[in-house]
Amino acid sequence: MRKFVIPSVSLAALLATWTVGEAVQAATEPATSGGAATVRRLNPDQYRRSIEDIFGPGIKIPGRFEPDVRDEGLLAIGASSVAVTPSGMEQYDLKAREIAAQVLAEDRRKSALACESPSPTAFDEACARQFISKYGRLLFRRPLDDGELSSVLTLTRLTAQKAGSFYKGLEFGLARLLVSPNFLFRIESTGSDPSPINVQRLDDYSLATRLSFLLWNATPDAELLDAAEKGELRQEKGLARQVERLITSPKFEQGVRAFFADMFAFDQFSGLSKDPSIYPKFNAQLTRDAEEQTMLTIVDLLVTRKGDYRDLFTTKQTLMNRSMAALYRVPVDNSALTGWVPYTFAPDNPRAGILTLAAFLMLDPSHEGRSSPTIRGKSVRELFLCQKVPPAPANVDFKLIQETNHPVYKTARERLMIHQDNPPCAGCHAITDPIGLAMENYDAVGEFRTHENGALIDASGKFEGKSYKNVIELQKILRNSPTVPNCVAQRVYEYGTGRTLTAGEREWLKYLNARFASDRYAFPALMRAVATSKAFQNVSVSNLAANQKH
């Protein structure tokens, strides 16, 4: 019986490449206490992709979505704490009715129905059952139970009889599925397999859903649901086979994009603005291009070339189009006029690594007319090092740092020295500003500069006891810091489980970090290690009990 919890390359080729050491390492995964099962609302991208994957392209989705919530640095964690307001429920109802009407419209009906009713007016029980069962399984990411199926069939039959149209009945039945919390939320439940005293295992369909959204950022396909139904995900070989299929699929790229968009807080690009009188090159298209360039760079290095994650901080290889070439002031061939082309910055070009790409440099929603070393340094600490920076005290006076044309304190470094001399501010600025000042050779939209207000910019500093002259040298230090790969490993796990790491998983995280290092920091290998781990399947019994009380 299902227990629902609602809290406030080929496999043979893969196995053949395992060394004895890797096999031993896989066999010695530390036990974990697990964490809470989660209930996560689909974000807008996941909702749209689910509709396209299940019903095919071309379905128009009307209305708006309520905003996502970022918690502990990730939208994937915030999705566990969001609710749906009455207004939001009205929007979901609007979407459900419009989508169902399009799916059952005359021009699409044949592709949606595997059966053909002998009469367009009379209710066909067998055909309706087949239709509702098929789409209910895909939308709920599990089979409907008898009560759910009976309820939707009853609504379908009554509507068909009242409207005198079998297809209108199916339309209302499908709309009921689309507005159900079982579709709008990823509700995790546990199985009945024997488990340690304080730990239970996710049931097969909940695990299939976790796997699919981690690796594809999409709903499980029919093959993965079939594997869950057959119990294949409970077997190491069966689980490894499905994980490898997901990773080698073209859809893996969209999963990687979704993870890094969340980790790097790219949702802040929505509504980002800069003062056009200061930055005339800035516009909405430039922000889209900057974001896409970073995503293309990540996918090229980590997925296509299966490179070292740490090389994101030093690589000179990227992709370039016309607008980005103009911003960076680099020449490109004619093919870049209409699309993206591979590009390698020259050895003497002042760009290398992700911190010198425009997307990172311009992504500051707080300041429209200047760069902010503090915000940039805070972003590096929190996004790449998993180190939380406290908020600024309420009584801080920001007038001096905001006065970019000050006659005496001409550079950001000089203006920030005032805050570092103020005891309430000094602690935070000491950990953010040295990193952010390394990027002061790039203005608020990412253009390179050597001077500010006629004064030479000093981008030097120290990180982890090592000196650097500029952000290029800083990134070389970051690349070799163990904190950087350890942070992304932790973020992948938290992204996949929808919660922060628990105390009972700390030893397992050390194991994951060692696995990541032994795999030469290949990102697909990290995703594989998380997806096939026992930790990824575990749910804490104490958390289950606490959640059931609520």
Side-chain angles (χ1 to χ4, degrees):
M1 182 175 181
R2 297 173 56 83
K3 291 181 282 184
F4 292 99
V5 184
I6 302 183
S8 213
V9 163
S10 71
L11 178 63
L14 170 68
L15 297 176
T17 62
W18 275 17
T19 65
V20 173
E22 288 171 324
V24 170
Q25 189 176 44
T28 56
E29 177 186 344
T32 66
S33 60
T38 60
V39 175
R40 285 179 268 179
R41 190 181 72 186
L42 296 182
N43 65 37
D45 284 344
Q46 292 166 346
Y47 184 102
R48 294 187 187 99
R49 187 166 290 128
S50 294
I51 298 303
E52 180 172 342
D53 287 350
I54 293 170
F55 301 112
I59 299 290
K60 296 179 181 179
I61 300 175
R64 59 174 177 79
F65 290 91
E66 293 190 306
D68 294 322
V69 174
R70 184 170 292 277
D71 188 16
E72 298 294 336
L74 289 175
L75 294 173
I77 295 177
S80 299
S81 59
V82 293
V84 178
T85 66
S87 174
M89 202 63 232
E90 289 178 1
Q91 291 295 313
Y92 280 131
D93 184 61
L94 168 65
K95 291 177 177 64
R97 292 173 183 270
E98 290 287 336
I99 291 168
Q102 292 174 70
V103 171
L104 273 302
E106 192 170 351
D107 60 334
R108 301 184 66 105
R109 189 178 296 159
K110 288 185 178 179
S111 62
L113 281 168
C115 52
E116 186 173 349
S117 177
S119 168
T121 57
F123 179 70
D124 185 327
E125 173 83 23
C127 188
R129 180 179 294 273
Q130 186 181 58
F131 177 84
I132 297 300
S133 296
K134 173 187 175 181
Y135 287 107
R137 180 177 188 254
L138 293 172
L139 290 167
F140 286 14
R141 300 168 287 273
R142 60 167 177 80
L144 276 65
D145 63 34
D146 291 343
E148 291 167 335
L149 180 58
S150 176
S151 175
V152 178
L153 281 174
T154 298
L155 173 66
T156 302
R157 175 174 51 80
L158 292 175
T159 304
Q161 291 172 347
K162 184 175 182 179
S165 168
F166 175 57
Y167 300 114
K168 182 60 70 173
L170 292 181
E171 183 182 316
F172 268 67
L174 180 58
R176 170 65 66 88
L177 297 175
L178 286 163
V179 81
S180 169
N182 291 290
F183 167 59
L184 301 176
F185 290 82
R186 295 155 55 188
I187 303 174
E188 295 183 339
S189 59
T190 58
S192 57
D193 294 346
S195 302
I197 295 175
N198 294 319
V199 179
Q200 290 188 7
R201 181 186 177 279
L202 287 174
D203 77 5
D204 297 324
Y205 292 106
S206 295
L207 178 58
T209 298
R210 265 196 187 185
L211 291 171
S212 188
F213 279 96
L214 169 66
L215 301 175
W216 283 0
N217 194 39
T219 192
D221 64 0
E223 184 173 343
L224 186 55
L225 291 175
D226 289 344
E229 183 178 3
K230 296 172 184 174
E232 292 178 7
L233 301 184
R234 289 176 234 157
Q235 304 163 6
E236 288 187 12
K237 289 184 178 180
L239 176 60
R241 183 183 302 110
Q242 287 299 318
V243 168
E244 194 63 19
R245 181 180 71 86
L246 298 179
I247 289 177
T248 55
S249 164
K251 290 185 178 182
F252 181 60
E253 177 181 327
Q254 73 188 18
V256 172
R257 280 172 165 262
F259 167 72
F260 281 105
D262 194 350
M263 180 179 174
F264 295 163
F266 276 5
D267 56 295
Q268 295 179 94
F269 273 113
S270 177
L272 183 70
S273 62
K274 303 292 178 183
D275 188 334
S277 66
I278 302 174
Y279 307 109
K281 289 183 181 179
F282 183 85
N283 54 47
Q285 185 59 51
L286 185 68
T287 66
R288 289 192 291 269
D289 287 344
E291 181 179 3
E292 181 64 9
Q293 182 193 35
T294 298
M295 282 299 174
L296 289 171
T297 303
I298 290 170
V299 168
D300 176 61
L301 175 62
L302 302 186
V303 180
T304 305
R305 293 190 280 127
K306 297 179 174 60
D308 187 321
Y309 167 75
R310 301 171 302 166
D311 289 346
L312 278 178
F313 295 88
T314 56
T315 183
K316 286 258 181 191
Q317 293 179 252
T318 185
L319 288 97
M320 195 73 65
N321 72 352
R322 179 172 57 180
S323 67
M324 300 312 298
L327 181 69
Y328 297 147
R329 301 175 189 172
V330 296
V332 289
D333 60 40
N334 290 336
S335 58
L337 298 179
T338 56
W340 294 93
V341 296
Y343 186 86
T344 301
F345 289 111
D348 60 346
N349 189 287
R351 293 190 195 268
I354 195 168
L355 300 189
T356 65
L357 294 182
F360 179 79
L361 295 165
M362 69 170 59
L363 194 54
D364 175 8
S366 307
H367 304 92
E368 295 187 1
R370 65 177 177 88
S371 61
S372 171
T374 302
I375 294 295
R376 286 174 173 176
K378 180 176 184 289
S379 295
V380 171
R381 289 283 182 185
E382 295 187 338
L383 304 183
F384 299 100
L385 301 171
C386 294
Q387 298 169 356
K388 190 165 183 62
V389 177
N395 60 345
V396 176
D397 184 358
F398 292 104
K399 285 183 180 179
L400 180 58
I401 187 61
Q402 292 171 348
E403 193 175 347
T404 56
N405 295 314
H406 196 282
V408 178
Y409 305 110
K410 295 185 176 183
T411 67
R413 180 181 291 273
E414 293 169 337
R415 295 190 296 274
L416 281 170
M417 288 299 294
I418 305 302
H419 284 293
Q420 292 180 13
D421 292 338
N422 185 353
C425 304
C428 291
H429 281 276
I431 61 175
T432 59
D433 294 356
I435 293 176
L437 288 168
M439 286 169 264
E440 272 300 284
N441 282 129
Y442 309 87
D443 68 16
V445 297
E447 282 201 284
F448 183 75
R449 61 187 178 179
T450 57
H451 291 70
E452 183 182 6
N453 295 326
L456 186 67
I457 292 172
D458 177 6
S460 64
K462 278 190 175 183
F463 178 75
E464 294 185 346
K466 301 179 179 69
S467 298
Y468 54 84
K469 295 179 182 178
N470 51 44
V471 70
I472 303 291
E473 293 187 3
L474 168 61
Q475 287 188 103
K476 291 177 181 177
I477 300 172
L478 284 168
R479 186 208 178 276
N480 294 317
S481 171
T483 307
V484 167
N486 291 354
C487 175
V488 75
Q490 178 178 335
R491 296 274 84 177
V492 166
Y493 183 69
E494 293 177 333
Y495 173 87
T497 58
R499 56 173 176 76
T500 55
L501 202 73
T502 66
E505 295 170 321
R506 293 291 174 186
E507 285 302 312
W508 179 84
L509 181 61
K510 293 178 183 178
Y511 157 83
L512 180 64
N513 292 337
R515 282 286 302 271
F516 194 21
S518 71
D519 288 323
R520 300 181 181 180
Y521 301 106
F523 192 74
L526 172 63
M527 297 286 259
R528 182 184 296 111
V530 170
T532 57
S533 69
K534 289 182 172 60
F536 194 62
Q537 308 170 33
N538 286 348
V539 176
S540 168
V541 172
S542 59
N543 278 303
L544 278 170
N547 290 333
Q548 287 171 335
K549 288 179 182 179
H550 291 86

